[in-house]
Amino acid sequence: MDKFATLEPVRLYNPTATPPPPPSSSNPFSLHRPTVAPPIRRANAPAPFQLIGRLPVDVHILVLTHLAVPDIPAYARCSRALANLARDERVWEARWNAFAVERNKLADVLDALEDKLKVQNALDRGHAPPTLATESLDDDFGDFASVDTHPAQLGDFVGGFSFSTPAVPTFGQGQQTFRAQYIRAHALLKPLLSALSAPPHAVLSSLFPSPTPPLRDQAHTLRLLSRFLSQDVKPLRDWAKLASALRAAIDRFEDGLLTAFDVADGKGDERGMREAAEASWEVWEGPGAEWELGKVWAEKLEIFYEQSRWKPLDNFTNDAELDFTAMDGFLADILSALEEHGARAVRVFPSDANVLISFADRLANEVVGEYISSLLTRAREISNEVFLKATAASFKEAWRMVDTIVQVAAAKDSDFPKTKAEDVVYRMFEPNMDEYLDEEVEFVKQSFEMTCRSWEKQLSEHALPTDTTPNAETARFLGSHNPAQVKRTVLASFTDVLLLPVTIVPRTVGKAVGAALTTGGSAAVQGISMLNPQRWGGTGTSGNGSAGGGGGGFPFARMSSWSANGKDGYVRDFEKGGDGMLFDIGADEDEEPDATNEKADNVAAPEATPTNTARSSIAARDSLSSMTSLDSTKTNPKPPGLDNLDLLLSLDTALELIHADRESLKRAETFSGYPGTYGHRVRDTIEEIFVLLLQALGERHIKPGFDTAIESMKSYKPAEHEETKSVAPLLQFFELVHIGDTMQSMIQVYFDKELAPHIDRHDFLNTVVREKKHFEDVLDDCVAGGLNAATDALMNQVEHIIQKLTKPREYYPPEDSPLELGPTEGCREAIKCLQMHCQLLRGSTSKEVLEVFYQEVGIRLIAILQKHLKRQIISLSGGFQVIADLNAYHAFITSLRVPTITAEFAYLKMLGHVYVVEDAKDLAQIVRDVTRYGGAYRPEDIYEFIQRRSDWKKIEKTVDKTMYNLSFKEDCVLC
């Protein structure tokens, strides 16, 4: 049992062992027992969920945090647990953080006060004998003595100090807890509070006696005192009264700073201005109000009172057109003032005050904003189009302030965020955004409606009587040597059109255009007209150079007049001189030289004239149009009507729609950087503008054109037309398919170039992506429905050609006639017709659609040939003619490269052998061989074909006997 130690009783609530208190040598007459300095953190601190009384620890800490400091001792006397909790670091951390010493860099103030207090105490001790302090023992802190004692003897809470000779508590580096730091700040700041009891005019002189410290030090002291007498700290019971007196002193101090700043400003003393501004900024309360000193400085500037110098209406010419030359001068003055006064604001005021941004905000709203508002009001009175152009141009001009602000701010802060400068312009322009975005969408709808109605009116005015015979040679797209190559070149030229410049900010020709936003589009009128298929070259042209075929020149004749007369309010960079040739339809790099030469003969390309102006280009184009119309009149004196199906779609109309859409899109893109709600609205507007284009082009232009073409092809009757080489409606429909495919390709190019940067093209739920898919589906459905009608028309024509050109005894020639092994005329013409129309469809539809079309043509051609053979009487010599024709058809089908119908025609070609077999028994064996034709023809089918032989009556019995083993004499009994 000796090895077990004796258990000793342990006292509850026994604090951690602490060193014995040092003797109180400084004041042996203290009425209070000295206590031990508290530890930094109690090891056995209560857990947050532990209850003290009926409340958890966290609630008690929250109560202690909001109590005034003098009330903490009373709360702590309730129990030892609360007394220990009152020393918890969480209580004092909140109070110390309320000072914001580190954040506001006020530690130097405390150090200076401490040094000053040490000097004062040393002087007092040197000139006065030691005396017993006679102040009241019950001060604001409660039960603490006002004594000069060792820090370890201060007791559980902060000691009280007299206002006459305050002691300076000092702490070791190991005890710099939040509580210790607060005790130090409290002891240093409390003696200053007596000055707040002086009359209001004498508070500042009491706080800062002679020699007066610098303004910056005074501001820091006042700032620290304001934090000390705040609701978060509550150092005294009457803190609110003292805080009110301090606020009055600070206001008086700010008034003195404002006077000093004005005096320094009048003398041009930036150093004095900077000192007063920094001191004023230190004592300013911050959020919730505008800094008075910065506001007063800005109000004195003359730029805010000179608005009568500039007249917004000078931006309109006598013809009510836009000319922003006046705005250039206005903004030059604004930017000069912004640069001059902004640079001074950066040098004088603290960076955190954001005086530069405040000044720029006021300048933008009160001067630039008012100027733009008057300008837009006048533009709205003229027309919606002028209003939209003026809005985008005004915003682009005002955007020049951003670069100036960033440039000025970078002189002091190289990391100045550009977004702050951008927000100045964004906030200034917000009042105009709602009206602009709504009007932009409405204007696009009206423009599209006007273009579509213009095209419909043009079609109705150029309609011909129903008895007018269309000319197949009027196809312009297909008349070129290589339609697919021409299409690629046109798309390349269209891409160049998208890069042509247009000035969002209109100015007079010859003025500086450095601030103009060149986005392309308006000058594209010169190039758009060159996309007219009538000018691509070919075997023939339309009789009216401004209509059709993709030629709707009427809308673009109107647009060219806009360009020439300046009716659109723009002054284009194109008019300043440049390349008069916008398109050069030539060979691609991978095209053969011979093909290039042949194509060069067919494709009309204007010559390049680098020094031409816009007017000379327009004149050259008009001259080319008149020459084209003159040549066309010689070959086709009648204007094209609705029977020319390729004239039901107009590339010019499509390009005009794209042009109008792109102008609106580019105006909206000017605001694409807008943050917040308006940024979302701008992006939605950009998407809606493109969706309106797809709807107008698909539902108002492409679909009606294809519907009319399909109805025309369904009503086509080959027998009513002398032409047998081609089917005019079908030829024109293929032209229509090429034009529709070109429109789709242009939309794709336009989408990739202009809209893809604004949306996620892989988001299948996006409105633009869905509408684009719907547009493609509409075109595909139109082409598919048209191909069905086209196939019927084509095969009716082929059947008509075969019937018309096949002579009565084509396959039963006289015995003395020479044998010709070539295909018949009907066969040759039918194959030519098929070849021409199948060739025209290549390059305008997908491979899958083309294969389906070829397969349908092959299936129907087999049925026509079978029907044709069963209609003929074929001799042995005529059988060779049948084989020659079938071989020709097989060769044509093989060229289409569709395996399914190629096999079918191979069996049909073998079928011709039944007409050249002389021996009836051999013929019967051929008929009975079910494997010979791969299951394509049954014996009964072959039997029908051999019945068309001229010697059938002679060989019928032999064939029947061999096939069915029948003999009427042997197998039949007559009763």
Side-chain angles (χ1 to χ4, degrees):
M1 299 296 293
D2 296 335
K3 62 182 179 180
F4 295 101
T6 304
L7 296 176
E8 297 180 359
V10 179
R11 185 177 180 179
L12 297 178
Y13 303 102
N14 185 32
T16 306
T18 56
S24 56
S25 55
S26 59
N27 188 2
F29 303 102
S30 173
L31 298 181
H32 296 274
R33 200 184 331 172
T35 57
V36 180
I40 297 176
R41 171 78 67 174
R42 293 179 59 87
N44 57 347
F49 53 83
Q50 182 179 345
L51 296 178
I52 299 179
R54 295 184 178 181
L55 299 177
V57 171
D58 284 347
V59 174
H60 285 290
I61 290 177
L62 189 62
V63 171
L64 287 169
T65 302
H66 290 84
L67 276 179
V69 173
D71 295 330
I72 293 179
Y75 193 86
R77 289 193 186 104
C78 295
S79 68
R80 291 188 177 184
L82 290 178
N84 293 332
L85 195 63
R87 292 192 293 269
D88 193 284
E89 282 294 287
R90 289 172 289 182
V91 176
W92 300 99
E93 180 181 1
R95 296 183 186 275
W96 174 251
N97 290 336
F99 277 102
V101 173
E102 291 82 2
R103 184 171 66 251
N104 296 323
K105 301 178 181 180
L106 299 177
D108 294 342
V109 178
L110 294 177
D111 294 340
L113 290 174
E114 187 175 17
D115 294 341
K116 182 179 179 182
L117 219 54
K118 285 181 179 178
V119 173
Q120 181 180 353
N121 288 340
L123 293 174
D124 292 342
R125 290 193 183 97
H127 295 86
T131 59
L132 179 66
T134 60
E135 285 79 3
S136 174
L137 300 178
D138 187 12
D139 57 10
D140 286 332
F141 273 93
D143 190 14
F144 296 102
S146 299
V147 296
D148 185 8
T149 182
H150 192 275
Q153 299 176 349
L154 289 176
D156 292 341
F157 296 95
V158 183
F161 304 95
S162 66
F163 291 143
S164 58
T165 57
V168 181
T170 57
F171 302 93
Q173 294 297 326
Q175 292 182 331
Q176 291 300 316
T177 62
F178 291 113
R179 184 171 178 270
Q181 294 181 68
Y182 175 79
I183 291 175
R184 173 175 177 259
H186 187 104
L188 293 173
L189 293 176
K190 184 176 178 182
L192 301 178
L193 300 182
S194 60
L196 299 179
S197 301
H201 65 276
V203 171
L204 291 178
S205 59
S206 300
L207 279 174
F208 309 109
S210 180
T212 305
L215 292 177
R216 184 179 180 87
D217 294 344
Q218 296 181 40
H220 283 172
T221 302
L222 292 173
R223 179 73 176 272
L224 192 57
L225 282 174
S226 67
R227 298 305 304 163
F228 183 58
L229 296 175
S230 64
Q231 188 176 2
D232 297 331
V233 179
K234 299 179 183 178
L236 305 173
R237 287 191 177 92
D238 59 344
W239 66 270
K241 179 180 178 181
L242 295 174
S244 177
L246 179 63
R247 183 68 256 174
I250 291 177
D251 291 341
R252 185 178 294 272
F253 179 71
E254 287 184 329
D255 292 341
L257 291 177
L258 184 59
T259 302
F261 183 87
D262 288 340
V263 172
D265 189 13
K267 296 179 180 179
D269 181 13
E270 291 190 0
R271 181 177 179 181
M273 295 170 62
R274 181 166 56 253
E275 183 178 357
E278 290 176 351
S280 177
W281 176 251
E282 289 296 333
V283 297
W284 184 57
E285 289 297 332
E290 186 177 358
W291 186 28
E292 186 68 20
L293 187 62
K295 178 181 179 181
V296 170
W297 170 79
E299 287 178 347
K300 293 172 57 179
L301 300 178
E302 296 181 358
I303 189 69
F304 295 107
Y305 309 101
E306 298 177 343
Q307 298 187 24
S308 58
R309 289 173 48 192
W310 308 290
K311 297 180 180 179
L313 300 185
D314 289 346
N315 293 281
F316 298 93
T317 64
N318 295 331
D319 298 330
E321 298 175 7
L322 287 175
D323 181 4
F324 269 33
T325 304
M327 194 169 191
D328 286 338
F330 164 71
L331 273 178
D333 295 338
I334 294 298
L335 297 181
S336 176
L338 179 60
E339 186 173 358
E340 176 187 354
H341 301 300
R344 171 168 287 189
V346 169
R347 293 192 301 267
V348 169
F349 298 102
S351 301
D352 296 337
N354 288 326
V355 175
L356 174 63
I357 296 299
S358 300
F359 167 64
D361 254 328
R362 184 168 182 178
L363 186 65
N365 290 312
E366 296 185 9
V367 181
V368 180
E370 292 297 327
Y371 184 93
I372 291 177
S373 178
S374 301
L375 188 151
L376 295 183
T377 302
R378 173 56 182 158
R380 190 73 173 85
E381 295 173 356
I382 297 174
S383 69
N384 288 349
E385 184 177 6
V386 174
F387 168 75
L388 297 175
K389 293 174 181 177
T391 304
S394 300
F395 179 82
K396 192 59 187 178
E397 284 284 84
W399 192 256
R400 295 163 60 185
M401 295 180 62
V402 174
D403 297 332
T404 303
I405 295 173
V406 173
Q407 179 183 355
V408 171
K412 188 174 183 180
D413 182 9
S414 58
D415 297 331
F416 180 80
K418 189 177 180 180
T419 53
K420 287 187 176 181
E422 293 174 349
D423 289 342
V424 171
V425 180
Y426 287 140
R427 287 192 294 267
M428 178 269 294
F429 215 81
E430 275 186 3
N432 305 309
M433 288 303 297
D434 287 324
E435 183 180 9
Y436 165 75
L437 294 176
D438 294 339
E439 290 296 333
E440 190 69 76
V441 174
E442 290 300 321
F443 177 74
V444 170
K445 292 180 180 178
Q446 294 174 5
S447 299
F448 290 168
E449 182 68 20
M450 179 185 66
T451 303
C452 293
R453 287 185 178 180
S454 173
W455 172 246
E456 294 168 358
K457 179 180 179 182
Q458 180 188 351
L459 286 181
S460 62
E461 289 178 352
H462 290 83
L464 285 180
T466 56
D467 58 349
T468 303
T469 302
N471 186 358
E473 297 297 335
T474 59
R476 285 150 303 280
F477 208 130
L478 306 178
S480 62
H481 174 74
N482 190 342
Q485 181 62 41
V486 171
K487 187 186 302 182
R488 288 194 295 269
T489 306
V490 168
L491 291 178
S493 301
F494 175 73
T495 305
D496 295 337
V497 168
L498 296 181
L499 301 177
L500 291 175
V502 56
T503 55
I504 288 295
V505 182
R507 293 182 177 86
T508 305
V509 176
K511 295 293 183 180
V513 293
L517 173 65
T518 57
T519 57
S522 292
V525 177
Q526 302 299 317
I528 289 174
S529 63
M530 298 310 298
L531 290 179
N532 189 337
Q534 297 174 353
R535 302 204 177 99
W536 296 341
T539 57
T541 57
S542 172
N544 189 345
S546 63
F554 172 74
F556 270 89
R558 173 163 50 85
M559 291 186 67
S560 63
S561 66
W562 293 350
S563 174
N565 300 328
K567 293 298 177 83
D568 57 353
Y570 280 86
V571 181
R572 297 177 176 79
D573 290 343
F574 191 81
E575 296 183 1
K576 299 172 185 175
D579 192 353
M581 178 195 68
L582 296 178
F583 301 95
D584 186 8
I585 302 179
D588 283 355
E589 295 179 358
D590 57 350
E591 188 173 358
E592 296 297 331
D594 294 339
T596 304
N597 295 334
E598 293 178 8
K599 183 180 176 181
D601 296 335
N602 294 327
V603 180
E607 296 182 358
T609 55
T611 59
N612 283 350
T613 62
R615 297 185 183 277
S616 62
S617 299
I618 295 173
R621 189 208 49 217
D622 294 341
S623 176
L624 179 59
S625 300
S626 60
M627 292 175 61
T628 305
S629 302
L630 181 60
D631 294 340
S632 303
T633 306
K634 295 179 181 179
T635 58
N636 186 9
K638 296 182 180 180
L642 285 178
D643 290 325
N644 289 331
L645 302 184
D646 63 324
L647 305 186
L648 295 173
L649 293 184
S650 169
L651 273 182
D652 277 354
T653 300
L655 287 163
E656 185 176 359
L657 292 173
I658 294 176
H659 166 72
D661 186 86
R662 187 167 182 269
E663 280 199 343
S664 296
L665 185 66
K666 284 302 178 181
R667 284 195 295 265
E669 278 184 355
T670 309
F671 308 93
S672 61
Y674 242 102
T677 304
Y678 284 108
H680 292 293
R681 282 206 61 190
V682 169
R683 286 186 285 275
D684 292 343
T685 301
I686 290 175
E687 294 181 3
E688 186 175 0
I689 289 173
F690 186 77
V691 167
L692 291 174
L693 169 66
L694 296 177
Q695 293 174 350
L697 187 59
E699 301 295 336
R700 292 293 305 274
H701 189 66
I702 292 179
K703 193 174 185 299
F706 272 96
D707 291 343
T708 304
I710 292 173
E711 292 299 324
S712 178
M713 286 190 295
K714 288 181 179 180
S715 62
Y716 177 77
K717 297 180 181 179
E720 298 178 357
H721 304 276
E722 298 180 357
E723 175 63 36
T724 59
K725 179 181 178 181
S726 62
V727 184
L730 183 58
L731 185 65
Q732 301 297 333
F733 174 76
F734 286 161
E735 177 82 16
L736 206 65
V737 173
H738 276 284
I739 296 173
D741 182 65
T742 303
M743 289 181 180
Q744 181 179 353
S745 300
M746 289 192 301
I747 289 294
Q748 184 64 45
V749 171
Y750 178 57
F751 174 81
D752 294 337
K753 290 285 185 182
E754 303 294 346
L755 206 72
H758 300 286
I759 65 170
D760 181 8
R761 59 194 309 171
H762 303 294
D763 181 11
F764 61 91
L765 295 178
N766 183 272
T767 306
V768 173
V769 176
R770 287 187 300 167
E771 191 63 33
K772 181 172 174 290
K773 184 66 171 64
H774 175 69
F775 170 79
E776 295 170 352
D777 292 341
V778 168
L779 183 58
D780 291 342
D781 293 342
C782 291
V783 173
L787 285 179
N788 186 36
T791 304
D792 293 338
L794 175 61
M795 300 319 296
N796 290 338
Q797 179 72 16
V798 170
E799 184 175 9
H800 173 70
I801 292 173
I802 293 176
Q803 292 179 1
K804 181 179 179 181
L805 299 182
T806 301
K807 300 175 182 178
R809 301 193 61 175
E810 192 75 59
Y811 302 118
Y812 189 17
E815 296 182 359
D816 56 348
S817 62
L819 184 62
E820 296 182 3
L821 297 181
T824 61
E825 181 183 1
C827 175
R828 292 194 303 269
E829 292 299 323
I831 292 176
K832 285 181 181 180
C833 180
L834 289 171
Q835 281 180 335
M836 182 185 68
H837 292 89
C838 290
Q839 181 69 25
L840 294 179
L841 198 58
R842 291 180 183 174
S844 59
T845 57
S846 63
K847 182 179 179 181
E848 292 76 11
V849 174
L850 198 63
E851 184 174 344
V852 171
F853 176 73
Y854 288 163
Q855 187 173 356
E856 187 67 21
V857 167
I859 292 174
R860 298 193 185 190
L861 181 59
I862 288 178
I864 291 174
L865 294 178
Q866 290 176 352
K867 182 179 178 181
H868 177 62
L869 290 177
K870 293 178 182 179
R871 194 183 295 119
Q872 305 298 320
I873 298 177
I874 306 170
S875 63
L876 289 177
S877 58
F880 291 101
Q881 190 65 55
V882 171
I883 292 176
D885 287 353
L886 294 180
N887 286 338
Y889 288 121
H890 178 267
F892 162 70
I893 293 298
T894 303
S895 66
L896 300 181
R897 298 179 181 178
V898 181
T900 54
I901 59 172
T902 302
E904 295 289 336
F905 268 87
Y907 297 135
L908 180 63
K909 182 179 69 171
M910 295 174 60
L911 183 63
H913 297 166
V914 300
Y915 298 110
V916 295
V917 177
E918 296 185 7
D919 191 349
K921 293 183 179 181
D922 294 339
L923 181 62
Q925 292 298 330
I926 292 175
V927 174
R928 292 182 59 182
D929 187 1
V930 295
T931 62
R932 182 178 180 86
Y933 301 102
Y937 299 99
R938 299 174 300 170
E940 291 80 2
D941 298 330
I942 306 299
Y943 190 81
E944 292 182 10
F945 284 107
I946 63 175
Q947 287 179 349
R948 307 313 302 167
R949 290 174 57 115
S950 59
D951 58 351
W952 173 246
K953 293 300 181 180
K954 298 179 181 180
I955 64 175
E956 180 180 5
K957 293 182 180 180
T958 305
V959 172
D960 290 343
K961 181 178 180 181
T962 306
M963 286 184 60
Y964 307 111
N965 292 322
L966 293 177
S967 175
F968 290 105
K969 294 181 179 180
E970 298 176 0
D971 298 334
C972 296
V973 177
L974 298 177
C975 298

